Each structure stands twice: as C-alpha cells, then as structure tokens.
Amino acid sequence: MTVRDLWSGLSKVEIAAKRTKNAPRYQRRWRDGTGREAPQRKQSYKEHQKAQAYQDDAAQIGRPKARALARGSITVDTLLNRHLAAKADRAPATVNADSNHARHVREVFGERVVSTLDTTEIEIWSVRVGVAAETRKKDVEIMRAAIKRGIRDRLVDLDPTEGIVVSLGHRELPSYSSEQLMAVLGAASTDTDRALLGLLGLMGLRSGEARSLLVGDLRDNHLSVKNGGAGTKKTRAPRRVLPVPATVLPLLVAQVGDRTNSDWLFPSPRRKGAPIAKQYPNHALTRAIARVNNGREEKIPRLTVHGLRHTFAAISLSEAEADLLSVSQAMGHARPSITLDRYGHLSKKGLAPLLAKIDALVAPLSKAA
C-alpha cells in the first residue's frame, strides 16, 4: 500500500497545466488480499486531497505509524474543504460568504499543516490593518469552525485559534427616535409612501422584502414576509409571519383595497404588472424628509432607507424595551447572535428590571414560608 505523487519530477509549466485541468495528483495503490495473486487496486485524489489519501491509506492499513503520517499531513485547506462541503445546504448567500472568508484563510494558511500553526501567528493575522473588523472576525470564525470539525473527526488534535477574539468595537448605526419616525411618516407624500415607510420603520422589513409583498400576504391582521425578498434568501426559513401594528394596519388595508391576492402590494406606478422599483423606497423617504423639514427648526437627518430597519431595532430595544429574541425574529435574522452583535448595546433594561421581576415573583412565596 502506497500513496504516490503523480506530479513528482514534472516541470513548473507542466504542473501549472495539471492544475488548470484540475488533474489528480495523488494515487493510492493497494492489493485486495495478500500475495502476488491478489488483485491490485488504485484510487486517485485531487491536489487538495493529499491528507485524505493518507487518511484512507491509514484507515485501511490500521497501523499507528500510518495514522500518524496521515494526521501530520492535514492542511488548513483540507479542513476548510471538508467544512464547506458539510455546510453546502445552507442559504446561497451564506455559502458564498463562507467561501469568501475561507478564501482569505487559504491565502495565508491554506497549504500549512495544522499541527505547525501556533496561536500567536493567527492572532497577529487577525488584527491585520486595512481589513474591516467584521471581516477579520468572520475569517477567524470560519477557520475555527473548520479546525473544530477536524478535531471532532479525529484528524487533528488541537485548535490553534482557541482564545482568539476579534473585537468589533461599538459602531453606532444611525436611526430615528419614535418621535422623529412618526414625524417622517406623517409627512409622507402619499398613503402608499406612508404604508411603505411604516413597514420599514415600524416592522423592521428590509426594502426588498417590502417590494416583494403580494396582496395575499396580508391576512387576519398578519403579514407573511419572504425573508430577504426580491428573489434572495437571507435565512433558512423562507418566510416569517408578523402581526401588523395598529398604526400600520389601516394603511395596508387601504393599500390592498379590492385587488386580487396575486397582485403586488406595492405595484409600480409606471410598469404594469411589476412591483415598485428598487429605488422607490429611497425616493419615498427623500420626499418625506424634505416635507417634514420644511419650516422645522430642528432638522431630521436624512438616513438611508436601511436606516429605517435600524430604527425599528433601536425603538424596540431602547424605547419599547423588547427582548432581543423577539426583535431577532421580527427582523428575520438567521441567529439571535446577529441581533445581539449589532443591536445589543441598545437594550437599556440591564439586569436590574430582571432581578426586580424575579424578586416580585418569589416575594409572596417567601412570606408564605
């Protein structure tokens, strides 16, 4: 039983040509049985599957020395490939993002054997200048996830990323107060603009989600929202169903009118049979800001239309004192940790109200005892 490098002895030009064709590089040979009469078998592996070739060989031989050889050849690239393959069923946007962050890792550590890495060099890489903190954080996370999978599968022993934390710092996302938001809604040019901006600011919808709504999505005072909208898929769950606030409901009911369920909730005023254009919500907000600031002493700042989504999170957490899980579900985040990372600092409740509620709950029981 052997593992051979089929490219051994080739020139750089020949190797480059092999890589272009994605030709197999390693070949594992063995015999089914013992003796010269036993049939010979062989299996080929791509360039990035070197470690897998040794691993298969070790598993078949069952020798400690062969196993050690296999474990000693596991590269970061191999673990990343295995991890991405195991997560290939996730939302397309998530798969693309993971592949992109994995590429950043490969550029520096891809060919390195995992056992040769140390925590300090990875930590130095994680604080490199010129790269956004959020990107560096995701890069470390995808590397850690791949290595953790390798440990679980008994391909490697230790995780050199252990203890490395990339701080995102505090980045305030611009938003309106409830008073500012209601002033903007009140100054909307039309009832359609008011209904649209209300969905974004009071329910936290993404602009694409609002544009993708159909008349039939409003049912029994609830709105069925396609996560991501506009043909994208931001999370695994295809839809979320949200109760419509009393402030927004009459606007949506008027918008529906007597139209059929298959009609767009916000139809294009120019193109028959099409929803409002991508830039329409932004223009609607621009019109409302211009009207509300006309003669207003303290001007309301102009935010992007996505700022209305941040406004929903800010009002929910800092003014309405909502819990993070509910806000996360309303916004259609894939994980509550996303909401916590972006908006957790807005929650002003702290621990005091929580402990006060617990105290109020157990106080009668304490007196009874």
Side-chain angles (χ1 to χ4, degrees), residues 8-117:
S8 179
L10 298 181
S11 66
K12 291 183 179 180
V13 175
E14 291 173 321
I15 290 177
K18 294 281 187 182
R19 284 193 175 125
T20 302
K21 296 179 180 179
N22 198 25
R25 175 163 186 172
Y26 299 99
Q27 187 179 82
R28 184 169 68 93
R29 293 185 178 182
W30 72 97
R31 289 185 181 276
D32 279 345
T34 58
R36 294 180 177 273
E37 302 302 320
Q40 189 178 65
R41 308 293 185 204
K42 60 184 178 180
Q43 182 175 353
S44 298
Y45 298 80
K46 304 292 184 182
E47 185 177 9
H48 67 273
Q49 295 175 314
K50 177 182 179 182
Q52 190 63 49
Y54 281 113
Q55 187 71 19
D56 292 345
D57 202 41
Q60 190 160 349
I61 298 175
R63 295 176 184 171
K65 186 175 181 180
R67 289 197 187 95
L69 180 62
R71 292 167 72 88
S73 66
I74 296 292
T75 63
V76 173
D77 192 57
T78 296
L79 296 186
L80 286 171
N81 287 333
R82 291 168 61 89
H83 180 69
L84 293 177
K87 296 293 185 178
D89 65 333
R90 297 199 290 181
T94 303
V95 171
N96 290 337
D98 285 351
S99 298
N100 189 48
H101 291 296
R103 177 176 57 81
H104 297 164
V105 178
R106 294 183 208 273
E107 290 171 354
V108 180
F109 302 109
E111 296 181 359
R112 291 282 300 276
V113 173
V114 178
S115 60
T116 67
L117 297 174

Side-chain angles (χ1 to χ4, degrees), residues 245-257:
T247 307
V248 181
L249 185 59
L251 298 172
L252 294 185
V253 171
Q255 185 68 20
V256 166

Side-chain angles (χ1 to χ4, degrees), residues 109 118-127 136-137 140-141 143-144 159-167:
F109 302 109
D118 63 69
T119 302
T120 299
E121 65 176 318
I122 299 174
E123 189 169 12
I124 293 172
W125 170 72
S126 74
V127 297
R136 291 185 279 110
K137 182 176 185 290
V140 171
E141 287 176 349
M143 184 177 185
R144 177 178 291 129
D159 178 14
T161 71
E162 191 72 44
I164 297 178
V165 177
V166 179
S167 176

Side-chain angles (χ1 to χ4, degrees), residues 27 33 66 87 99 106 138 178 202 212 225 229 235 248 300 306 356:
Q27 187 179 82
K87 296 293 185 178
S99 298
R106 294 183 208 273
K138 294 293 185 181
S178 57
L202 293 173
S212 299
V225 182
T235 62
V248 181
I300 294 179
H306 201 66

Side-chain angles (χ1 to χ4, degrees), residues 56 69 74 81 117-118 128-129 138 146 148 175 177 181 205 219 232 272 274 282 300 344 348 356 361 366:
D56 292 345
L69 180 62
I74 296 292
N81 287 333
L117 297 174
D118 63 69
R128 61 196 186 279
V129 297
K138 294 293 185 181
K148 290 290 188 186
S175 61
S177 66
L181 175 62
L205 270 66
R219 186 181 306 166
T232 64
K272 187 176 181 180
N282 206 44
I300 294 179
K348 298 179 180 179
L361 178 67
S366 176

Side-chain angles (χ1 to χ4, degrees), residues 42-338:
K42 60 184 178 180
Q43 182 175 353
S44 298
Y45 298 80
K46 304 292 184 182
E47 185 177 9
H48 67 273
Q49 295 175 314
K50 177 182 179 182
Q52 190 63 49
Y54 281 113
Q55 187 71 19
D56 292 345
D57 202 41
Q60 190 160 349
I61 298 175
R63 295 176 184 171
K65 186 175 181 180
R67 289 197 187 95
L69 180 62
R71 292 167 72 88
S73 66
I74 296 292
T75 63
V76 173
D77 192 57
T78 296
L79 296 186
L80 286 171
N81 287 333
R82 291 168 61 89
H83 180 69
L84 293 177
K87 296 293 185 178
D89 65 333
R90 297 199 290 181
T94 303
V95 171
N96 290 337
D98 285 351
S99 298
N100 189 48
H101 291 296
R103 177 176 57 81
H104 297 164
V105 178
R106 294 183 208 273
E107 290 171 354
V108 180
F109 302 109
E111 296 181 359
R112 291 282 300 276
V113 173
V114 178
S115 60
T116 67
L117 297 174
D118 63 69
T119 302
T120 299
E121 65 176 318
I122 299 174
E123 189 169 12
I124 293 172
W125 170 72
S126 74
V127 297
R128 61 196 186 279
V129 297
V131 180
E134 190 166 348
T135 298
R136 291 185 279 110
K137 182 176 185 290
K138 294 293 185 181
D139 291 348
V140 171
E141 287 176 349
I142 196 72
M143 184 177 185
R144 177 178 291 129
I147 293 175
K148 290 290 188 186
R149 182 177 296 275
I151 293 174
R152 188 194 66 187
D153 293 344
R154 299 181 181 179
L155 299 179
V156 293
D157 296 317
L158 300 173
D159 178 14
T161 71
E162 191 72 44
I164 297 178
V165 177
V166 179
S167 176
L168 294 180
H170 174 63
R171 183 165 59 98
E172 191 70 50
L173 297 171
S175 61
Y176 294 134
S177 66
S178 57
E179 184 276 330
Q180 289 175 319
L181 175 62
M182 294 312 294
V184 171
L185 295 184
S189 301
T190 64
D191 288 342
T192 295
D193 285 5
R194 189 171 295 109
L196 175 62
L197 298 178
L199 285 179
L200 304 179
L202 293 173
M203 295 183 66
L205 270 66
R206 301 175 179 92
S207 175
E209 292 172 342
R211 292 188 296 111
S212 299
L213 289 172
L214 301 176
V215 168
D217 291 330
L218 180 65
R219 186 181 306 166
D220 298 328
N221 299 342
H222 285 70
L223 193 63
S224 178
V225 182
K226 182 179 180 182
N227 283 337
T232 64
K233 188 176 180 182
K234 297 283 286 187
T235 62
R236 286 185 178 183
R239 284 184 176 270
R240 62 188 190 277
V241 179
L242 305 174
V244 181
T247 307
V248 181
L249 185 59
L251 298 172
L252 294 185
V253 171
Q255 185 68 20
V256 166
D258 58 357
R259 295 186 293 143
T260 60
N261 288 343
S262 59
D263 286 347
W264 296 107
L265 183 58
F266 296 102
S268 171
R270 297 181 179 178
R271 296 179 298 157
K272 187 176 181 180
I276 53 174
K278 185 176 182 180
Q279 65 271 21
Y280 186 96
N282 206 44
H283 293 333
L285 180 58
T286 299
R287 290 191 291 268
I289 293 295
R291 288 166 62 93
V292 77
N293 282 335
N294 185 20
R296 186 182 177 99
E297 197 170 311
E298 187 177 348
K299 305 295 185 184
I300 294 179
R302 170 68 169 90
L303 301 183
T304 65
V305 73
H306 201 66
L308 294 179
R309 182 168 160 84
H310 301 321
T311 293
F312 168 77
I315 293 175
S316 299
L317 294 169
S318 64
E319 296 188 47
E321 297 189 348
D323 63 275
L324 274 164
L325 181 58
S326 297
V327 176
S328 180
Q329 292 172 339
M331 299 185 77
H333 284 157
R335 301 178 302 279
S337 60
I338 296 175

